[in-house]
Amino acid sequence: MKNRQLTPISDETLGANARRLVILIPGMGSDHKSWKVLVKRLQQETGYRPDEAQWMSFDHGIHVLSPGPIRPLLLRDPHQAGNLESLTLALRNLIDGQWAEHKLKTGKDYEDVVLIGHSFGGLIARRVYLLAADAVPRQNPSPWGERVSRIVLFAAVNRGFNLKRLNWFLNMGAWLARISSRRIFYMEDVLLGSDFVTNLRIDWIRHFSALSGQWPVDTTEAGGQRTRIPLVVQLLGDEDGILSREDSKDVLAFTNSHYIEIASATHGNLYRLEPTYAPDPDARYAVLREAFVGDPQKMRTGIALRPSPSPYKRVVMILHGIRASNVDAWIDGLKSKLKAKDSLETHVVTPTYGYFSALRFALPFVRRRNIPIFRDEYTEQLAKNPQAEFNIIAHSNGSYMLGWSLERTPGMRFQNIVLAGSALPPEQDWDTLMQPDARGNRQVGRVLNERANHDIPIGILCSALRGIGMRDIGPAGFSGFVNASTFEVAYHPGGHGDALIPKNQDRLIDFVLGGNPPEPSWLLEKPFLFGGLSRAAPYLIWLILIGLLGLVYGIAFPGRMFNRKHTSRLLAGFLAVLTALDSL
């Protein structure tokens, strides 16, 4: 991997006694050279002159399809920290080194730090601030975290890139990378709902929500410790075809953040002042200048651009599973009853990813494709309701999406979780998620697992898929969780959705609102025959697959011996079928 470092933009000798450190983080495929005209004009402003500010650029050298840290594909851990997380940690360490070097040379610290980021560089600017400000779980703060005075975001992809707005080339790259279930390109971490974007947005909301009562910029805590809350400005071109102002709810949710629109500017050129890019360079600079020198107390951002103040103390998400959508009768029933129970302080959300068949669920790269939709909806709701308690009722594939997200998103929290027809593995580590962190926060409060006695998609399909190596799913919705402090309710008579029937919904609502409902009176004993079939499914699946392959071969090549040529044709045919299913 390229040896990345902080590159001085201006004469280092002039900035030897600088009081301010300015860090520029360009976008993908760019470096500080394209910023030359804007930087030159800013260096004429008080506080940013070369003898007052040390200007440095993090020229990362990353392009759209730049691969992450080079490791053999099969050895990559899908649970590893994302490529961008590692890159941001490296930048944090570089700034730590610059901070220490400056103090060693001058005997004093910088007075403040200004972070500038463009496009995906805006995400890095936000994340590196959070790392330094002690806002990321299990990370040590940096000495400059409380000295960040401004974070200037040039078309930062705050919500992540939405693939629907990107061209076919980028879509294809993301699709190919996601099939592997392992991170390959840096671009993957910049997509809507990715691990990196989701963790960043949640940590950002929780950090500034805790500080929201301490605005304006400079405050003093008990004991005399100085705390600085940075001004955050999102600049966006009015001709940006990739982002919209609606993509920054988590940024604009707090009064220390503002939005400024740049006339006649696109996503890639809003910082450029050359006449080729800016019809009126002086007018554009006058607007950009406000983000760097404007008085935060005099800045105004329209109320319509910010999330409305939330009256809700509780958010309940209802997440459907396979062969369903968010307009199914059981969802309408739960939603209506929840609203009847408490419509003033409880907000009900029913995200959807459309109809999803059991066959598509069986394909790992297809079932994981919808997880970003859930994580993005969670983050959007958190931005609107930063002080609310979150709870969820998840069925089938919805429980899988929840479990996957919780493991990879440390900031995601749910107090009460109701699972019905859960597709999670029995060894899901709920107890670790229930343990409080250093600040006393738990990812999960309580879990209720409702199980049915003839749940074929869970007891048979999920059990069988584990037999061919799919360990991320399992039959916990039938067999239960092992060694976990979960509330297990078994067995409802019936199949995959029978724990969601109307007569059981009041119990589920009671639990998700914090109650302790009694077990229903209609529960049955564990079914002997179905239980045995569920345990045998991991072995039977191999017999079925071998039989199917033999049948296909017999139909395709009647009377012929099995050979390498025929094998390649079979594999190509299966690949074509899987590709077609993924595109449905």
Side-chain angles (χ1 to χ4, degrees):
M1 186 172 69
K2 180 180 177 180
N3 183 25
R4 300 184 175 96
Q5 58 186 359
L6 292 177
T7 303
I9 296 179
S10 56
D11 190 336
E12 287 189 86
T13 59
L14 291 176
N17 295 309
R19 295 171 294 174
R20 168 175 286 166
L21 177 62
V22 182
I23 302 293
L24 169 64
I25 310 167
M28 285 186 176
S30 181
D31 59 31
H32 72 274
K33 295 175 184 177
S34 61
W35 291 73
K36 181 178 179 180
V37 178
L38 175 59
V39 169
K40 185 175 181 180
R41 293 198 66 166
L42 286 171
Q43 287 180 334
Q44 298 174 26
E45 303 287 351
T46 301
Y48 291 92
R49 297 183 181 122
D51 60 335
E52 297 176 305
Q54 187 85 45
W55 284 77
M56 309 199 81
S57 175
F58 183 50
D59 289 344
H60 42 72
I62 293 174
H63 297 265
V64 171
L65 294 183
S66 292
I70 302 300
R71 297 189 187 119
L73 181 61
L74 295 178
L75 297 182
R76 290 187 185 175
D77 181 2
H79 298 85
Q80 70 182 348
N83 296 324
L84 274 192
E85 187 74 8
S86 300
L87 184 72
T88 309
L89 286 167
L91 174 57
R92 189 273 307 273
N93 295 337
L94 289 172
I95 300 175
D96 286 354
Q98 177 64 29
W99 186 271
E101 180 183 359
H102 182 77
K103 186 170 184 178
L104 182 64
K105 288 181 177 179
T106 66
K108 56 186 178 181
D109 292 328
Y110 291 105
E111 291 184 6
D112 77 327
V113 177
V114 175
L115 300 173
I116 308 168
H118 172 230
S119 191
F120 108 117
L123 289 178
I124 297 177
R126 294 175 61 195
R127 189 62 174 173
V128 80
Y129 163 73
L130 292 175
L131 287 167
D134 196 23
V136 178
R138 298 186 291 276
Q139 288 292 335
N140 291 323
S142 295
W144 53 274
E146 294 182 350
R147 300 291 183 88
V148 178
S149 61
R150 293 178 188 247
I151 303 175
V152 184
L153 306 172
F154 285 79
V157 285
N158 294 313
R159 193 177 178 180
F161 281 121
N162 188 337
L163 286 176
K164 294 179 180 179
R165 300 181 191 171
L166 302 181
N167 60 43
W168 69 268
F169 178 72
L170 297 182
N171 261 288
M172 181 62 68
W175 182 84
L176 290 173
R178 284 183 170 183
I179 283 182
S180 72
S181 302
R182 287 165 168 80
R183 297 180 183 89
I184 298 176
F185 305 116
Y186 280 98
M187 176 190 68
E188 293 175 83
D189 284 336
V190 194
L191 299 179
L192 181 146
S194 70
D195 290 359
F196 182 82
V197 170
T198 305
N199 281 313
L200 162 61
R201 298 182 76 200
I202 291 175
D203 290 341
W204 183 274
I205 294 166
R206 298 204 189 283
H207 176 65
F208 283 104
S209 180
L211 298 180
S212 60
Q214 299 183 28
W215 182 256
V217 174
D218 291 310
T219 61
T220 302
E221 292 183 341
Q225 182 180 357
R226 182 173 179 236
T227 299
R228 180 173 290 245
I229 304 176
L231 168 71
V232 183
V233 180
Q234 167 79 338
L235 300 158
L236 191 66
D238 62 359
E239 297 178 2
D240 193 313
I242 297 176
L243 307 178
S244 75
R245 63 189 188 187
E246 295 298 316
D247 295 326
S248 297
K249 286 188 176 72
D250 52 321
V251 172
L252 297 176
F254 306 101
T255 55
N256 65 310
S257 303
H258 292 279
Y259 172 83
I260 299 177
E261 202 161 279
I262 311 301
S264 305
T266 66
H267 184 78
N269 71 20
L270 75 165
Y271 65 89
R272 305 294 292 265
L273 298 181
E274 300 91 326
T276 305
Y277 304 104
D280 188 341
D282 290 338
R284 179 175 292 189
Y285 177 72
V287 178
L288 297 178
R289 177 181 179 274
E290 279 299 297
F292 292 89
V293 302
D295 183 352
Q297 303 304 310
K298 295 181 180 179
M299 288 188 176
R300 296 290 180 269
T301 294
I303 295 177
L305 297 181
R306 301 187 186 277
S308 302
S310 173
Y312 300 116
K313 295 182 179 179
R314 182 188 296 112
V315 173
V316 177
M317 303 185 78
I318 304 176
L319 188 59
H320 69 82
I322 62 173
R323 299 182 298 183
S325 70
N326 67 339
V327 296
D328 279 21
W330 69 269
I331 291 183
D332 285 341
L334 285 170
K335 188 174 182 179
S336 298
K337 290 176 181 179
L338 277 164
K339 288 185 175 180
K341 200 97 171 179
D342 179 13
S343 62
L344 297 178
E345 296 184 343
T346 299
H347 179 48
V348 183
V349 184
T350 57
T352 187
Y353 45 93
Y355 183 84
F356 201 66
S357 69
L359 180 58
R360 300 184 73 189
F361 172 79
L363 304 175
F365 56 91
V366 178
R367 67 170 173 264
R368 292 172 189 159
R369 191 172 61 183
N370 293 319
I371 292 174
I373 297 173
F374 165 62
R375 298 204 290 191
D376 178 67
E377 181 63 32
Y378 177 93
T379 313
E380 289 288 282
Q381 292 299 324
L382 185 62
K384 297 175 183 177
N385 308 279
Q387 304 297 334
E389 169 192 286
F390 276 68
N391 308 275
I392 188 168
I393 300 173
H395 175 235
S396 182
N397 183 53
S399 69
Y400 170 76
M401 297 167 72
L402 170 67
W404 177 279
S405 299
L406 285 169
E407 287 189 5
R408 291 157 182 78
T409 316
M412 181 177 282
R413 301 175 194 161
F414 287 98
Q415 176 57 33
N416 300 297
I417 294 176
V418 173
L419 304 177
S422 172
L424 289 169
E427 63 273 12
Q428 183 82 13
D429 192 2
W430 290 109
D431 285 358
T432 296
L433 297 175
M434 293 177 185
Q435 290 297 318
D437 61 18
R439 298 179 183 179
N441 298 313
R442 305 170 190 265
Q443 272 194 268
V444 172
R446 307 185 302 163
V447 178
L448 175 65
N449 187 30
E450 303 265 328
R451 296 144 57 187
N453 71 339
H454 283 84
D455 191 334
I456 294 176
I458 300 302
I460 305 301
L461 176 61
C462 287
S463 183
L465 293 175
R466 281 173 67 83
I468 56 175
M470 300 184 192
R471 310 300 291 182
D472 57 326
I473 58 176
F478 172 72
S479 61
F481 295 105
V482 296
N483 301 319
S485 303
T486 54
F487 296 92
E488 300 287 335
V489 176
Y491 283 91
H492 291 278
H496 193 46
D498 281 280
L500 300 167
I501 58 177
K503 69 177 181 179
N504 194 46
Q505 290 180 354
D506 287 334
R507 290 185 56 259
L508 307 185
I509 290 171
D510 187 12
F511 186 90
V512 86
L513 295 181
N516 294 289
E519 287 190 348
S521 59
W522 55 81
L523 296 183
L524 302 177
E525 296 294 324
K526 183 176 182 178
F528 177 77
L529 292 178
F530 190 85
L533 185 59
S534 177
R535 290 189 296 273
Y539 309 101
L540 295 175
I541 185 69
W542 287 104
L543 296 176
I544 294 172
L545 289 176
I546 292 172
L548 286 175
L549 283 172
L551 178 62
V552 171
Y553 183 81
I555 295 173
F557 310 104
R560 299 185 184 181
M561 294 294 292
F562 195 80
N563 59 48
R564 184 178 300 175
K565 181 179 180 181
H566 297 161
T567 302
S568 62
R569 290 180 181 177
L570 281 175
L571 291 176
F574 277 114
L575 180 60
V577 171
L578 292 179
T579 303
L581 286 171
D582 185 46
S583 64
L584 291 177

